[in-house]
Amino acid sequence: MDSNALLRHCRVRSCLHLVLCFSPVGEAFRQRLRMFPSLVNCTTIDWFSEWPVEALTSVARSFCADLELDSSGANGGAGGRSRDDLLNGVLAACVHIHQSVEAKSKQYYAELRRLVHVLRP
């Protein structure tokens, strides 16, 4: 390798930045972290804080997809409401709970100066 090629190689290497995007949802992310611990040890991880309602709803929908909801009205059911109505109510509750915990953790920090980390869904 001549000196010009070596210089170019060093410049490229010193200026090279890679962006890896992973979804933190599910077992695949955990498995990648176990297989490649340098993903945590040798990188900067940006956890984006405020998730939009649509993203929270999407994550809740993926977790609640297999829920069996009783919409018959019998035995304390929902009085004939459709499964989609019930599911939308459950999803809205999940989003509300997550946002409420985030708001309370900010209030807790403001009052007591103690951090509470809310994990992303």
Side-chain angles (χ1 to χ4, degrees):
M1 185 181 288
D2 67 340
S3 62
N4 286 335
L6 183 59
L7 182 61
R8 281 193 303 272
H9 175 76
C10 290
R11 282 186 184 166
V12 167
R13 191 170 184 180
S14 67
C15 295
L16 184 65
H17 292 70
L18 294 176
V19 176
L20 302 173
C21 298
F22 295 104
S23 171
V25 176
E27 185 59 32
F29 182 65
R30 288 185 204 96
Q31 181 140 358
R32 281 190 194 100
L33 292 179
R34 279 189 227 105
M35 289 173 32
F36 307 104
S38 62
L39 285 174
V40 174
N41 300 333
C42 302
T43 59
T44 300
I45 299 176
D46 289 331
W47 296 97
F48 297 101
S49 305
E50 303 285 330
W51 277 38
V53 173
E54 296 82 19
L56 291 171
T57 304
S58 175
V59 172
R61 187 178 305 281
S62 71
F63 281 104
C64 296
D66 297 331
L67 270 179
E68 293 183 23
L69 300 173
D70 180 16
S71 60
S72 66
N75 298 326
R81 290 174 54 190
S82 72
R83 184 189 186 286
D84 288 339
D85 288 342
L86 289 174
L87 183 60
N88 288 335
V90 169
L91 298 179
C94 290
V95 169
H96 177 74
I97 290 167
H98 186 82
Q99 289 176 330
S100 298
V101 170
E102 281 185 334
K104 286 296 181 183
S105 69
K106 289 176 185 174
Q107 179 184 354
Y108 188 69
Y109 179 74
E111 292 176 7
L112 301 175
R113 292 288 183 227
R114 298 196 61 163
L115 284 173
V116 175
H117 297 285
V118 180
L119 298 177
R120 302 294 146 233

